[in-house]
Coordinates of all heavy atoms in Angstrom, one line a residue:
L1 N 0.9 -1.2 -0.1 CA 0.0 0.0 0.0 C 0.9 1.3 0.0 O 0.5 2.3 -0.7 CB -1.0 0.0 1.2 CG -2.1 -1.1 1.2 CD1 -2.8 -1.1 2.5 CD2 -3.0 -0.9 0.0
F2 N 1.9 1.2 0.7 CA 2.9 2.4 0.8 C 3.5 2.6 -0.6 O 3.6 3.7 -1.1 CB 4.0 2.1 1.7 CG 5.0 3.2 1.8 CD1 4.8 4.4 2.4 CD2 6.3 3.0 1.2 CE1 5.7 5.4 2.4 CE2 7.2 4.0 1.2 CZ 7.0 5.2 1.8
G3 N 3.9 1.5 -1.3 CA 4.5 1.7 -2.6 C 3.5 2.2 -3.6 O 3.8 3.1 -4.5
V4 N 2.2 1.7 -3.5 CA 1.2 2.2 -4.4 C 0.9 3.7 -4.2 O 0.7 4.5 -5.2 CB -0.1 1.4 -4.3 CG1 -1.3 2.0 -5.1 CG2 0.1 -0.1 -4.8
T5 N 0.8 4.1 -3.0 CA 0.5 5.5 -2.6 C 1.6 6.4 -3.1 O 1.4 7.5 -3.7 CB 0.4 5.6 -1.1 OG1 -0.7 4.8 -0.6 CG2 0.0 7.0 -0.7
V6 N 2.9 6.0 -2.9 CA 4.0 6.8 -3.3 C 4.0 6.9 -4.9 O 4.2 8.0 -5.4 CB 5.3 6.3 -2.8 CG1 6.5 6.9 -3.5 CG2 5.5 6.4 -1.3
A7 N 3.8 5.8 -5.5 CA 3.8 5.8 -7.0 C 2.7 6.7 -7.5 O 2.8 7.5 -8.5 CB 3.6 4.4 -7.5
W8 N 1.5 6.7 -6.9 CA 0.3 7.5 -7.3 C 0.7 9.0 -7.1 O 0.4 9.8 -7.9 CB -0.9 7.1 -6.4 CG -2.2 7.5 -7.0 CD1 -2.4 8.5 -7.8 CD2 -3.5 7.0 -6.6 NE1 -3.8 8.7 -8.1 CE2 -4.4 7.8 -7.4 CE3 -3.9 6.0 -5.8 CZ2 -5.7 7.5 -7.3 CZ3 -5.2 5.7 -5.7 CH2 -6.2 6.5 -6.4
L9 N 1.3 9.4 -5.9 CA 1.6 10.7 -5.7 C 2.7 11.2 -6.7 O 2.7 12.4 -7.1 CB 2.1 10.9 -4.2 CG 1.1 10.7 -3.2 CD1 1.8 10.7 -1.7 CD2 0.1 11.8 -3.2
A10 N 3.6 10.3 -7.0 CA 4.7 10.7 -8.0 C 4.1 11.0 -9.3 O 4.5 11.9 -10.0 CB 5.8 9.6 -8.0
W11 N 3.2 10.1 -9.7 CA 2.5 10.2 -11.0 C 1.8 11.5 -11.1 O 1.8 12.3 -12.1 CB 1.6 9.0 -11.3 CG 0.8 9.2 -12.5 CD1 1.1 9.0 -13.8 CD2 -0.6 9.6 -12.5 NE1 0.1 9.2 -14.7 CE2 -1.0 9.7 -13.9 CE3 -1.5 10.1 -11.5 CZ2 -2.3 10.1 -14.3 CZ3 -2.7 10.4 -11.9 CH2 -3.1 10.4 -13.3
A12 N 1.0 11.8 -10.0 CA 0.3 13.1 -10.0 C 1.1 14.3 -10.0 O 0.8 15.3 -10.7 CB -0.6 13.1 -8.7
A13 N 2.2 14.2 -9.3 CA 3.2 15.4 -9.3 C 3.8 15.6 -10.7 O 4.0 16.8 -11.1 CB 4.2 15.2 -8.2
F14 N 4.1 14.5 -11.4 CA 4.7 14.6 -12.7 C 3.7 15.1 -13.7 O 4.0 15.9 -14.5 CB 5.2 13.2 -13.1 CG 5.8 13.2 -14.5 CD1 7.1 13.8 -14.7 CD2 5.1 12.6 -15.6 CE1 7.6 13.7 -16.0 CE2 5.6 12.7 -16.9 CZ 6.8 13.2 -17.1
K15 N 2.5 14.5 -13.7 CA 1.5 14.9 -14.6 C 0.9 16.4 -14.4 O 0.7 17.1 -15.3 CB 0.3 14.0 -14.5 CG -0.8 14.3 -15.5 CD -2.0 13.3 -15.5 CE -3.0 13.5 -16.6 NZ -4.1 12.6 -16.5
H16 N 0.7 16.8 -13.2 CA 0.3 18.1 -12.9 C 1.4 18.9 -12.3 O 1.4 19.3 -11.1 CB -0.9 17.9 -11.8 CG -2.0 17.1 -12.3 ND1 -2.9 17.4 -13.3 CD2 -2.3 15.8 -11.9 CE1 -3.7 16.3 -13.5 NE2 -3.4 15.4 -12.7
G17 N 2.4 19.1 -13.1 CA 3.6 19.9 -12.6 C 3.3 21.4 -12.4 O 2.2 21.8 -12.7
T18 N 4.3 22.1 -12.0 CA 4.0 23.5 -11.7 C 3.8 24.3 -13.0 O 3.2 25.4 -12.9 CB 5.2 24.1 -11.0 OG1 6.4 23.9 -11.8 CG2 5.4 23.4 -9.6
R19 N 4.2 23.9 -14.1 CA 4.0 24.6 -15.4 C 2.6 24.4 -16.0 O 2.2 25.1 -16.9 CB 5.0 24.2 -16.4 CG 6.5 24.6 -16.0 CD 7.5 24.1 -17.1 NE 8.8 24.4 -16.7 CZ 9.9 24.2 -17.4 NH1 9.7 23.7 -18.6 NH2 11.1 24.5 -17.0
R20 N 1.9 23.4 -15.5 CA 0.5 23.2 -16.0 C -0.5 24.1 -15.2 O -0.5 24.2 -14.0 CB 0.1 21.7 -15.8 CG -1.2 21.3 -16.2 CD -1.6 19.9 -16.0 NE -2.9 19.6 -16.3 CZ -3.3 19.1 -17.5 NH1 -2.3 18.9 -18.4 NH2 -4.5 18.8 -17.8
R21 N -1.3 24.7 -16.0 CA -2.3 25.6 -15.4 C -3.4 24.8 -14.7 O -3.9 23.7 -15.2 CB -3.0 26.4 -16.5 CG -4.0 27.4 -16.0 CD -4.6 28.2 -17.1 NE -5.6 29.2 -16.6 CZ -6.3 30.0 -17.3 NH1 -6.0 30.1 -18.6 NH2 -7.1 30.9 -16.8
A22 N -3.8 25.1 -13.5 CA -4.7 24.4 -12.7 C -6.1 24.5 -13.3 O -6.5 25.6 -13.7 CB -4.7 24.9 -11.3
D23 N -6.8 23.4 -13.4 CA -8.2 23.4 -13.9 C -9.1 23.1 -12.7 O -8.9 22.1 -12.0 CB -8.4 22.3 -15.0 CG -7.6 22.7 -16.2 OD1 -7.4 23.8 -16.5 OD2 -7.1 21.7 -16.8
Y24 N -10.1 24.0 -12.5 CA -11.0 23.8 -11.4 C -12.1 22.7 -11.9 O -12.7 22.9 -13.0 CB -11.7 25.1 -11.0 CG -12.6 25.0 -9.8 CD1 -12.1 24.9 -8.6 CD2 -14.0 24.8 -10.0 CE1 -12.8 24.8 -7.4 CE2 -14.8 24.7 -8.8 CZ -14.3 24.7 -7.6 OH -15.0 24.5 -6.5
D25 N -12.3 21.7 -11.1 CA -13.3 20.7 -11.5 C -14.2 20.5 -10.3 O -13.8 20.1 -9.2 CB -12.5 19.4 -11.8 CG -13.4 18.3 -12.2 OD1 -14.6 18.5 -12.4 OD2 -12.9 17.1 -12.4
H26 N -15.5 20.7 -10.6 CA -16.5 20.5 -9.5 C -16.6 19.0 -9.1 O -16.9 18.7 -8.0 CB -17.9 20.9 -10.0 CG -17.9 22.4 -10.1 ND1 -18.2 23.3 -9.0 CD2 -17.8 23.3 -11.2 CE1 -18.2 24.6 -9.5 NE2 -18.0 24.6 -10.8
G27 N -16.3 18.1 -10.1 CA -16.3 16.6 -9.7 C -17.7 16.2 -9.5 O -18.7 16.9 -9.6
S28 N -17.8 14.9 -9.1 CA -19.0 14.4 -8.7 C -18.9 13.7 -7.3 O -18.2 12.7 -7.2 CB -19.4 13.3 -9.7 OG -20.6 12.6 -9.3
G29 N -19.5 14.4 -6.4 CA -19.4 13.9 -5.0 C -19.8 12.4 -4.8 O -19.2 11.6 -4.2
R30 N -21.0 12.1 -5.4 CA -21.5 10.8 -5.3 C -20.6 9.8 -5.9 O -20.4 8.7 -5.3 CB -22.9 10.7 -5.9 CG -23.6 9.3 -5.8 CD -25.0 9.4 -6.4 NE -25.8 10.3 -5.7 CZ -27.1 10.6 -5.9 NH1 -27.7 10.0 -7.0 NH2 -27.8 11.5 -5.3
A31 N -20.1 10.0 -7.1 CA -19.2 9.1 -7.8 C -17.9 8.9 -7.0 O -17.4 7.8 -6.9 CB -18.9 9.5 -9.2
Q32 N -17.3 10.0 -6.5 CA -16.1 9.9 -5.7 C -16.3 9.1 -4.4 O -15.5 8.3 -4.1 CB -15.5 11.3 -5.4 CG -15.1 12.0 -6.7 CD -14.8 13.5 -6.4 OE1 -15.0 14.0 -5.3 NE2 -14.3 14.2 -7.5
V33 N -17.4 9.4 -3.8 CA -17.7 8.6 -2.5 C -17.9 7.1 -2.8 O -17.3 6.2 -2.1 CB -18.9 9.1 -1.8 CG1 -19.4 8.2 -0.7 CG2 -18.7 10.5 -1.2
L34 N -18.5 6.8 -3.9 CA -18.7 5.4 -4.3 C -17.4 4.7 -4.6 O -17.1 3.6 -4.2 CB -19.6 5.3 -5.5 CG -19.9 3.9 -6.1 CD1 -20.7 3.1 -5.0 CD2 -20.8 4.0 -7.3
K35 N -16.5 5.4 -5.4 CA -15.2 4.8 -5.7 C -14.4 4.6 -4.5 O -13.7 3.6 -4.3 CB -14.5 5.7 -6.6 CG -15.1 5.8 -8.1 CD -14.3 6.8 -9.0 CE -14.9 7.0 -10.3 NZ -14.2 8.0 -11.2
A36 N -14.4 5.6 -3.6 CA -13.6 5.5 -2.3 C -14.1 4.4 -1.5 O -13.4 3.6 -0.8 CB -13.6 6.8 -1.6
S37 N -15.5 4.2 -1.5 CA -16.1 3.2 -0.6 C -15.7 1.7 -1.1 O -15.4 0.9 -0.4 CB -17.6 3.3 -0.6 OG -18.0 4.6 0.0
I38 N -15.8 1.6 -2.5 CA -15.4 0.3 -3.1 C -14.0 0.0 -2.8 O -13.6 -1.2 -2.5 CB -15.7 0.3 -4.6 CG1 -17.2 0.4 -4.9 CG2 -15.2 -0.9 -5.3 CD1 -17.6 0.6 -6.3
L39 N -13.1 0.9 -3.0 CA -11.6 0.7 -2.8 C -11.4 0.4 -1.3 O -10.6 -0.6 -1.0 CB -10.9 2.0 -3.2 CG -9.4 1.9 -3.0 CD1 -8.8 0.8 -3.9 CD2 -8.7 3.2 -3.3
S40 N -12.0 1.1 -0.4 CA -11.9 0.7 1.0 C -12.3 -0.6 1.4 O -11.7 -1.4 2.1 CB -12.6 1.8 1.9 OG -12.2 3.1 1.6
V41 N -13.5 -1.0 0.8 CA -14.1 -2.4 1.1 C -13.1 -3.4 0.6 O -12.9 -4.4 1.3 CB -15.5 -2.5 0.4 CG1 -15.9 -4.0 0.5 CG2 -16.5 -1.7 1.2
V42 N -12.5 -3.2 -0.6 CA -11.6 -4.2 -1.2 C -10.4 -4.3 -0.3 O -9.9 -5.4 0.1 CB -11.2 -3.8 -2.6 CG1 -10.1 -4.7 -3.1 CG2 -12.4 -3.9 -3.5
I43 N -9.8 -3.2 0.1 CA -8.6 -3.2 0.9 C -8.9 -3.8 2.3 O -8.1 -4.8 2.7 CB -8.0 -1.8 1.1 CG1 -7.5 -1.2 -0.3 CG2 -7.0 -1.8 2.2 CD1 -7.1 0.3 -0.2
F44 N -9.9 -3.5 3.0 CA -10.2 -4.0 4.2 C -10.6 -5.5 4.2 O -10.3 -6.3 5.1 CB -11.3 -3.2 4.9 CG -10.9 -1.9 5.5 CD1 -11.2 -0.7 5.0 CD2 -10.0 -1.9 6.6 CE1 -10.8 0.5 5.4 CE2 -9.6 -0.7 7.2 CZ -10.0 0.5 6.5
A45 N -11.3 -5.9 3.1 CA -11.7 -7.3 3.0 C -10.5 -8.1 2.8 O -10.4 -9.3 3.3 CB -12.7 -7.4 1.8
V46 N -9.6 -7.7 1.9 CA -8.4 -8.5 1.7 C -7.3 -8.5 2.8 O -6.9 -9.6 3.2 CB -7.7 -8.0 0.3 CG1 -6.4 -8.7 0.1 CG2 -8.6 -8.1 -0.8
V47 N -7.0 -7.3 3.3 CA -6.0 -7.2 4.3 C -6.5 -7.5 5.6 O -6.1 -8.5 6.3 CB -5.4 -5.8 4.3 CG1 -4.3 -5.6 5.4 CG2 -4.8 -5.4 3.0

């Protein structure tokens, strides 16, 4: 989990570098909560 998290953060830092203009995204609260819930259930169920 530590390796995946570090890799994810490194990818995000590389893709969204300081030279890239920030884009404001309202996102979808319901979809994000659903994704986070599914990921949490998978992690807790397995580990």
Side-chain angles (χ1 to χ4, degrees):
L1 293 175
F2 175 78
V4 170
T5 302
V6 170
W8 198 339
L9 290 173
W11 172 82
F14 177 78
K15 182 178 181 180
H16 306 288
T18 55
R19 296 181 180 180
R20 180 185 176 91
R21 181 178 180 181
D23 296 326
Y24 186 79
D25 184 3
H26 290 279
S28 172
R30 180 176 299 178
Q32 292 170 355
V33 169
L34 181 60
K35 292 178 181 178
S37 298
I38 293 175
L39 182 60
S40 299
V41 169
V42 171
I43 292 175
F44 282 109
V46 174
V47 180

